[in-house]
Amino acid sequence: MNKFNVFMFIATALLSAACNQEASKSSQPESPIGRAEVKIQDGLMTPEVLYSMARVGDARLSPDGSKVLYGATFMSIEQNKGNRELFVVNLDGSEKRQLTQTPYSEQNGVWINAGKQIAYLSSESGSSQIWVINSDGTGKKQVSNFHGGINGFVFSPDETKVLFISDIKYGERVADIYPDLPKASGRVVDDLMYKHWDEWVETIPHPFIASFDLNTIIETATDIMEGEPFEAPMKPMNGIEDLAWSPDGKTVAYASRKKTGLEYSISTNSDIYLYHLETRQTTNLTDGMLGYDIMPAFSPDGQYLAWVSQERDGYESDKKRLFIANLKSGEKQYLTSDFDYDIDAFEWLPDSKSLYFIACKEALTHIWQIGTDKQIRQITTGQYNYVGMHHIAGKMVALRQSMESPTELFSVNTENGEVAEISFENKAIMDQLAIGKSVPRYIKTTDGKDMLTWVIYPPNFDPNKKYPAILYCQGGPQSTVSQYWSFRWNFQIMAANGYIIVAPNRRGLPGFGQEWLEQISGDYGGQNMKDYFSAIDEVAKEPYVDEHRLGAVGASYGGFSVYWLAGHHNKRFKAFIAHAGIFNMEQQYLETEEMWFANWDMGGPYWDKNNATAQKTFANSPHRFVDKWDTPILVTHGELDYRILASQGMSAFNAAKLRGIPAEMLIYPDENHWIARPQNGILFQRVFFRWLDKWLKE
């Protein structure tokens, strides 16, 4: 399901983070994992080639703007994990140096000491701690030994203090209640949100402040939310971007949803809090603002605080608005009131009168500038997604990806929008690959709207041939089919296997205005499904598409879509693949953990017979149409998925087999809503194409 997250740039970053976490858990690390040497004979993408690509992120300019620090995760199929290393390169792309080379997955790198040193997180000592290294790669030393480990950090402007995230115990264990049963494995549960995404909730993150001087090991710190049973930052995806220092170092801003149990599970109402170091008092800056409030950032002059805010409680996909508040008067200003698109990230300019931000408009994600006068200027252009940025000293670097290229680091001229690649981490591989083109196409929907649909063609496409085609069903449900690069639902590997991919931005996706986005809530089996049919039917008319060899694939809400299409497609499709999809809506309502999502998107509980929206939702549950299933289906799911339980996939598979329909199931006991481990990812791709080839090519 879609989550309110600072980056929101699909599972690429999540997959990379999961691999990093796996690497950090290893008590006996193997040799460092480095850049893969790949030789491609036929120019076509394979699962092994895909998993050999570096995953670039965490770009930070040096204080003088001359150099860039970034991280790159390299995958080892043999070791079945990833490892992140730090690199430094000049802004013009010259003199790239690998700063670290260990098996411990260094990350969260930042410049300190006027650019002479770099601080980062590493698990080299057995837990995640802060380390410091000279900018030339010498003099590495550990500077923290905090008992709970450190998950993220940011230094005060004068670098005399550090604000960091560490997990604390949450709730009671059986051993706390019955000390004489220390080996009992049961959990006593008395409220909701006892599990979240892929974990039983036994710890929560808190923000801590400690003194810092490069010489004293940090072992003690002040928990600025001591005694509060609330998360800051909020699980499962928010991080250090939810914590910020004021320019004078006297105040910390943080985002938290100060609720627990049932109240937590039905609400998205978080707030921005200001913690004053001298008085140790906390004030709520956004009291009365009812949706998510996240990502606080002080203006350079300290007069304002900016943050991202949603209006409605319980609606996690509400418009992400950019707000600023005058910290003296308390006056708040909705900066993007005239901009009908989400704000995914932002940074103040030095003048404290304008900000850069990242936003997706019409399935392209770019960098923009807005002033306190609400005037907006688009900086970057082209068929790309910009998924991260950092600027300093009049310079900017950004992370860019597309359906045709993985994430790389670019310099950006903020005046004219010109960009130049810096990192080139995947150049050696990309130079050997034949790439399929992704082409935008507007298709009329049944209600007369224009729907942007991406059509991705096989490499070396021949319009005189006929190709099988795949309808790609997006998850979320509120996640744009933009120019992203995924390491699982990768359009280039689908194209390399000889398929044309049809990827519509159907109803319910951001980037096309709020009306387009909000239509889907309470209408899962409605207009957006008609949009799918419109897209595949139109493209199937092309002479190079074999209308008798069509498939449909998707994950999460996309998996739900596949299950729903299976009962309504009127023999359009010859094969289906559903990963982590909702099969039984009534089952899902009581199995999922974030109840705000179920209440908003489903309309409410199925037992509320007077709720027309809810009754419509549950009447359109895919499991109610199994009697009409007639098409081979592959089901995949992870047993650590607590968002959509594996029982949903098992139920769908069982239903197909009981109906006598060709079916196969790929189940992972050690994966969650995504597939993080390299060998599991390669297995997914092999089974995926084996299934499609069997029913669409043989």
Side-chain angles (χ1 to χ4, degrees), residues 40-215:
I40 303 171
Q41 300 300 321
D42 55 7
L44 297 181
M45 179 85 78
T46 67
E48 292 77 12
V49 171
L50 182 63
Y51 271 81
S52 296
M53 290 184 171
R55 305 171 189 206
V56 179
D58 298 334
R60 304 290 296 180
L61 280 160
S62 60
D64 64 1
S66 65
K67 294 179 171 58
V68 189
L69 168 69
Y70 70 94
T73 299
F74 304 109
M75 311 303 293
S76 168
I77 297 170
E78 180 183 2
Q79 295 185 35
N80 200 29
K81 64 182 181 181
N83 183 53
R84 194 169 191 79
E85 303 286 5
L86 298 179
F87 292 80
V88 173
V89 62
N90 289 338
L91 186 59
D92 63 5
S94 65
E95 298 183 15
K96 181 166 69 174
R97 294 182 292 107
Q98 184 168 340
L99 193 67
T100 62
Q101 190 172 13
T102 79
Y104 300 105
S105 230
E106 294 80 8
Q107 48 201 316
N108 198 162
V110 296
W111 299 89
I112 60 172
N113 195 10
K116 298 175 183 176
Q117 293 174 300
I118 291 165
Y120 60 90
L121 289 179
S122 171
S123 60
E124 183 170 349
S125 62
S127 64
S128 180
Q129 301 291 341
I130 302 174
W131 291 65
V132 168
I133 193 170
N134 294 329
S135 59
D136 63 2
T138 63
K140 182 178 73 173
K141 61 181 177 180
Q142 182 178 346
V143 297
S144 78
N145 190 27
F146 193 68
H147 64 88
I150 294 175
N151 302 327
F153 67 91
V154 58
F155 290 109
S156 60
D158 64 3
E159 297 180 0
T160 63
K161 297 180 180 65
V162 61
L163 172 65
F164 64 86
I165 305 164
S166 187
D167 290 338
I168 66 167
K169 181 182 176 182
Y170 177 80
E172 289 187 315
R173 313 291 181 267
V174 166
D176 297 323
I177 305 170
Y178 302 108
D180 60 327
L181 301 176
K183 297 182 180 180
S185 62
R187 292 181 171 92
V188 178
V189 177
D190 63 2
D191 210 341
L192 292 188
M193 291 305 294
Y194 48 89
K195 58 182 180 178
H196 201 185
W197 281 87
D198 62 355
E199 66 170 327
W200 290 83
V201 182
E202 295 186 339
T203 63
I204 57 173
H206 265 202
F208 291 77
I209 295 176
S211 297
F212 178 74
D213 66 4
L214 278 177
N215 296 312

Side-chain angles (χ1 to χ4, degrees), residues 606-628:
Y606 60 83
W607 56 80
D608 186 353
K609 303 300 182 183
N610 295 319
N611 184 331
T613 300
Q615 293 309 307
K616 178 182 177 182
T617 293
F618 296 108
N620 277 283
S621 176
H623 82 285
R624 295 184 179 276
F625 303 96
V626 170
D627 61 310
K628 296 180 175 61

Side-chain angles (χ1 to χ4, degrees), residues 34 93 98 100 117 140 186 191 293 319 396 416 479 550 588 595 617 665 687:
Q98 184 168 340
T100 62
Q117 293 174 300
K140 182 178 73 173
D191 210 341
D293 292 292
K319 181 183 177 183
M396 176 182 282
N416 59 24
S479 297
L550 305 178
Q588 173 69 9
M595 292 306 303
T617 293
M665 181 167 64
V687 174

Side-chain angles (χ1 to χ4, degrees), residues 204-505:
I204 57 173
H206 265 202
F208 291 77
I209 295 176
S211 297
F212 178 74
D213 66 4
L214 278 177
N215 296 312
T216 305
I217 296 290
I218 300 168
E219 295 183 299
T220 61
T222 299
D223 180 351
I224 67 174
M225 291 176 60
E226 185 174 3
E228 297 186 48
F230 312 119
E231 302 170 347
M234 292 170 285
K235 287 187 174 184
M237 297 181 185
N238 292 41
I240 198 64
E241 72 280 354
D242 273 355
L243 307 177
W245 285 98
S246 63
D248 61 9
K250 295 181 179 181
T251 305
V252 164
Y254 66 89
S256 178
R257 179 172 48 222
K258 296 199 172 183
K259 296 173 172 61
T260 60
L262 173 62
E263 187 183 14
Y264 179 106
S265 74
I266 62 175
S267 175
T268 59
N269 183 14
S270 67
D271 284 299
I272 304 297
Y273 295 89
L274 301 178
Y275 175 83
H276 307 280
L277 274 68
E278 293 178 355
T279 64
R280 298 195 175 187
Q281 297 297 306
T282 300
T283 57
N284 185 346
L285 182 70
T286 58
D287 189 26
M289 301 182 74
L290 300 180
Y292 270 123
D293 292 292
I294 62 169
M295 297 166 58
F298 291 91
S299 61
D301 63 8
Q303 294 187 43
Y304 299 93
L305 186 97
W307 74 99
V308 169
S309 176
Q310 291 182 315
E311 183 177 8
R312 289 166 282 185
D313 191 7
Y315 187 19
E316 70 171 8
S317 296
D318 205 355
K319 181 183 177 183
K320 293 185 282 183
R321 310 169 298 170
L322 183 59
F323 265 76
I324 62 172
N326 186 308
L327 294 175
K328 290 184 178 180
S329 68
E331 180 184 359
K332 299 180 178 69
Q333 184 181 4
Y334 176 11
L335 277 190
T336 52
S337 58
D338 301 325
F339 187 74
D340 201 19
Y341 308 98
D342 287 344
I343 306 303
D344 292 330
F346 69 89
E347 290 183 350
W348 283 98
L349 270 72
D351 63 4
S352 297
K353 295 180 180 179
S354 54
L355 305 96
Y356 294 127
F357 67 88
I358 293 177
C360 180
K361 178 181 179 182
E362 297 177 3
L364 301 173
T365 305
H366 283 290
I367 300 171
W368 310 67
Q369 182 177 346
I370 187 170
T372 54
D373 59 0
K374 296 189 177 182
Q375 294 299 306
I376 295 177
R377 176 176 70 95
Q378 184 173 341
I379 295 174
T380 57
T381 58
Q383 195 168 296
Y384 308 105
N385 275 6
Y386 285 84
V387 295
M389 64 176 173
H390 183 235
H391 81 282
I392 200 167
K395 309 294 177 57
M396 176 182 282
V397 291
L399 298 166
R400 192 182 82 179
Q401 59 184 214
S402 74
M403 291 179 180
E404 299 175 13
S405 58
T407 304
E408 294 285 359
L409 181 61
F410 290 76
S411 64
V412 179
N413 184 318
T414 57
E415 295 301 319
N416 59 24
E418 292 181 356
V419 303
E421 187 171 349
I422 298 173
S423 53
F424 297 100
E425 288 294 336
N426 292 295
K427 186 178 187 307
I429 294 177
M430 295 302 294
D431 284 350
Q432 301 179 66
L433 285 175
I435 297 298
K437 290 185 177 180
S438 59
V439 178
R441 177 170 176 169
Y442 280 91
I443 292 174
K444 283 291 182 184
T445 62
T446 57
D447 58 348
K449 307 286 187 180
D450 291 320
M451 174 176 60
L452 175 62
T453 298
W454 297 107
V455 181
I456 301 93
Y457 295 90
N460 307 312
F461 170 70
D462 183 350
N464 297 312
K465 293 183 178 179
K466 278 191 176 291
Y467 295 87
I470 303 170
L471 173 67
Y472 170 74
C473 301
Q474 177 71 316
Q478 296 95 347
S479 297
T480 313
V481 186
S482 58
Q483 277 290 315
Y484 59 74
W485 178 274
S486 169
F487 282 90
R488 180 156 52 97
W489 297 93
N490 185 279
F491 296 134
Q492 287 301 323
I493 197 171
M494 295 181 198
N497 276 270
Y499 292 96
I500 290 175
I501 302 94
V502 182
N505 276 280

